[in-house]
Amino acid sequence: MGKKSVYIGLITILIIVIGGLALFKLTNKQSQTNNNQAVSQFSVPNIPVSEDLLEKFMISEPTSTESINFQQLQQTSTQPQENLYTLEEVSQNNSKESCWTVIRDRVYDLTEWIDKHPGGEDKVLSICGKDGTQVFERKHGGQEKPEEALKRFEIGKLRQ
Ligand code: HEM
């Protein structure tokens, strides 16, 4: 074998090695970009889905003000509406058959309590159809039992 053919052989090997390296690098790069694409296709931040839709399907925590308002709306809509009464309406319930009173701007229907009151019927009857705040507070203000008993009869608030 002559020197010439040795050189040719070496150059051929060099070309094959360099070519192989170049080819390896190229395919490696391509698979990396493929991987990136795969990640970007399936990772949550890049999915072109609106936050609203994500919330509906409970994928993410609700963060937008819109969704918070929606939650508040749901909460309030399940709560019973607060009734408002005028003093005029209260004054029409001034008998043993129907006894309403106002104490600290809240309206109470005391009808059921009249014949159960330990202090006597007349005391409760004296505040039917009117604002009984002063009378009640003078006798029972700050007393635990009467205050607790009163809570059970609340039907709404006084319309100011
Ligand atoms: C408006 C709603 C009222 C409620 C829910 C109420 C509730 C009560 C309760 C729970 C007691 C028993 C207290 C105890 O055992 O310690 C009581 C007793 C009594 N209440 Fe009333 N009360 C009301 C109005 C009045 C009024 C307007 C008067 C008088 C102006 C009055 C005069 C008395 C008296 C004299 C007693 C007897 C025992 C005591 O002196 O504390 N109450 N009441």
Side-chain angles (χ1 to χ4, degrees):
M1 217 197 294
K3 258 189 181 176
K4 207 179 169 185
S5 33
V6 171
Y7 281 137
I8 289 169
L10 278 174
I11 286 166
T12 314
I13 290 167
L14 214 68
I15 287 168
I16 289 168
V17 168
I18 289 169
L21 268 172
L23 206 71
F24 175 74
K25 272 203 167 176
L26 201 75
T27 48
N28 210 22
K29 222 178 186 178
Q30 259 181 359
S31 72
Q32 258 179 13
T33 50
N34 279 348
N35 275 349
N36 283 348
Q37 269 171 8
V39 167
S40 69
Q41 263 171 19
F42 295 107
S43 64
V44 173
N46 287 333
I47 294 177
V49 176
S50 74
E51 248 180 63
D52 272 5
L53 210 66
L54 286 174
E55 279 155 23
K56 269 184 199 143
F57 290 99
M58 308 291 282
I59 292 171
S60 74
E61 285 285 311
T63 47
S64 73
T65 29
E66 224 178 64
S67 66
I68 288 164
N69 286 344
F70 176 68
Q71 277 197 331
Q72 283 171 348
L73 201 77
Q74 272 193 322
Q75 273 172 12
T76 48
S77 66
T78 53
Q79 283 165 0
Q81 283 277 310
E82 183 136 69
N83 296 321
L84 293 175
Y85 301 102
T86 60
L87 204 56
E88 166 72 24
E89 284 173 281
V90 174
S91 72
Q92 284 158 14
N93 298 277
N94 60 353
S95 66
K96 204 178 170 179
E97 285 67 47
S98 185
C99 171
W100 291 11
T101 195
V102 176
I103 293 166
R104 295 177 294 244
D105 293 335
R106 289 172 190 270
V107 180
Y108 300 89
D109 182 349
L110 298 175
T111 316
E112 298 292 306
W113 182 243
I114 297 170
D115 56 6
K116 293 190 184 75
H117 181 225
E121 289 190 11
D122 57 326
K123 304 288 194 303
V124 179
L125 283 170
S126 74
I127 56 168
C128 298
K130 23 175 130 142
D131 191 314
T133 310
Q134 281 197 351
V135 182
F136 178 82
E137 291 225 306
R138 219 178 292 135
K139 179 68 189 101
H140 288 312
Q143 289 181 350
E144 208 185 309
K145 278 186 185 174
E147 294 282 359
E148 277 304 310
L150 191 63
K151 279 184 196 167
R152 286 184 283 149
F153 307 113
E154 188 177 336
I155 54 168
K157 280 185 176 169
L158 190 67
R159 193 188 288 277
Q160 300 290 348

